[in-house]
Amino acid sequence: MRNRDLAKLVAGTMLAIAPSILAASAQPLPPTSPPKLAPVLPPAYVVDLLTADGMAAFGAQWKHMEVKIVEGPALPNAMPGYKTSYDITPHAGVKGFDDSSWPTLEPKQLLDRRGGGKLSWTNLTMPAKIGAFDTANAKAVLTAYVDDYAEEWVNGEVPRRGGITSPATIQGFNMPNRVVITDAVKAGDKVEIAIFGINGPISVVAPNFVFFRQASVEFYK
């Protein structure tokens, strides 16, 4: 029932959000890193982030927090009659976000059906080697496959450009997101990652849950 209520809330706010977006359309968004397409060739090495061993390779943890829709004031220059806007909280994608109070999940728990929310791990550290694989100068790609939709934040931003494919953003109904973390791994590099998940289609009440189908880091050489 809680899922259905959340879905109804999202659907009910869509029309209220639209005027605020239109009112802000003349204000350019801050620039982000240009999106990069991940290789389609088989990777040289894959680390499964749904396993304890995979997370231990990076010295990382999964954490989770439910997202809430919150009401705020209308944006400047909003059309007459619109007094409110809607947002989500928390915004865990910002660089340096403090998730110390969030509950920690075992990697296998990402497969559990949850009501919705964000899952993140911080300070993912690139090791010099994973097993016998030398990571130096490899291209690293994060693959997150969330049922139904996901957005991936890397080091405080969602790499994107209007009008072109931006893999960090929603890719379609039940499709994976594959985001290039770095073109050349250097041992000791730290990466902050946050993943936003939501059920869809967003305009339809979804009687199901949010869960991961896949989470991995792929290396290409």
Side-chain angles (χ1 to χ4, degrees):
M1 182 62 69
R2 185 177 181 183
N3 272 332
R4 294 177 179 177
D5 290 342
L6 176 61
K8 290 177 181 177
L9 178 58
V10 172
T13 60
M14 289 302 290
L15 291 178
I17 293 173
S20 298
I21 294 173
L22 291 172
S25 61
Q27 304 173 12
L29 293 172
T32 71
S33 296
K36 301 176 182 179
L37 295 182
V40 295
L41 296 173
Y45 197 83
V46 178
V47 179
D48 187 353
L49 300 180
L50 298 182
T51 67
D53 288 345
M55 292 299 284
F58 296 103
Q61 288 182 320
W62 283 101
K63 293 191 172 185
H64 166 266
M65 182 57 65
E66 189 99 354
V67 171
K68 297 180 180 179
I69 297 175
V70 294
E71 185 177 288
L75 296 178
N77 302 319
M79 293 175 62
Y82 294 103
K83 305 300 182 184
T84 58
S85 63
Y86 296 88
D87 200 353
I88 61 168
T89 186
H91 283 278
V94 296
K95 191 171 179 60
F97 179 83
D98 181 9
D99 62 0
S100 59
S101 64
W102 289 18
T104 300
L105 299 179
E106 295 297 325
K108 63 183 180 180
Q109 290 181 287
L110 296 181
L111 299 171
D112 295 342
R113 273 57 174 165
R114 300 183 179 277
K118 288 181 178 177
L119 300 102
S120 75
W121 68 96
T122 59
N123 295 328
L124 183 154
T125 303
M126 292 293 178
K129 285 191 174 183
I130 303 177
F133 179 75
D134 184 351
T135 65
N137 297 314
K139 183 189 293 287
V141 174
L142 171 68
T143 294
Y145 190 167
V146 177
D147 186 313
D148 293 308
Y149 297 125
E151 294 181 351
E152 295 183 6
W153 291 76
V154 179
N155 290 331
E157 62 179 28
V158 176
R160 64 192 185 276
R161 284 291 185 273
I164 66 173
T165 301
S166 299
T169 60
I170 290 175
Q171 293 303 292
F173 185 56
N174 246 314
M175 293 179 64
N177 296 66
R178 302 183 66 238
V179 178
V180 175
I181 299 174
T182 179
D183 286 318
V185 170
K186 296 179 181 177
D189 282 351
K190 294 185 181 297
V191 183
E192 293 185 14
I193 295 173
I195 299 175
F196 172 84
I198 188 171
N199 268 318
I202 298 172
S203 61
V204 178
V205 176
N208 57 322
F209 303 90
V210 173
F211 62 96
F212 273 67
R213 295 184 181 274
Q214 178 184 352
S216 60
V217 175
E218 304 158 0
F219 293 94
Y220 294 85
K221 282 193 168 183

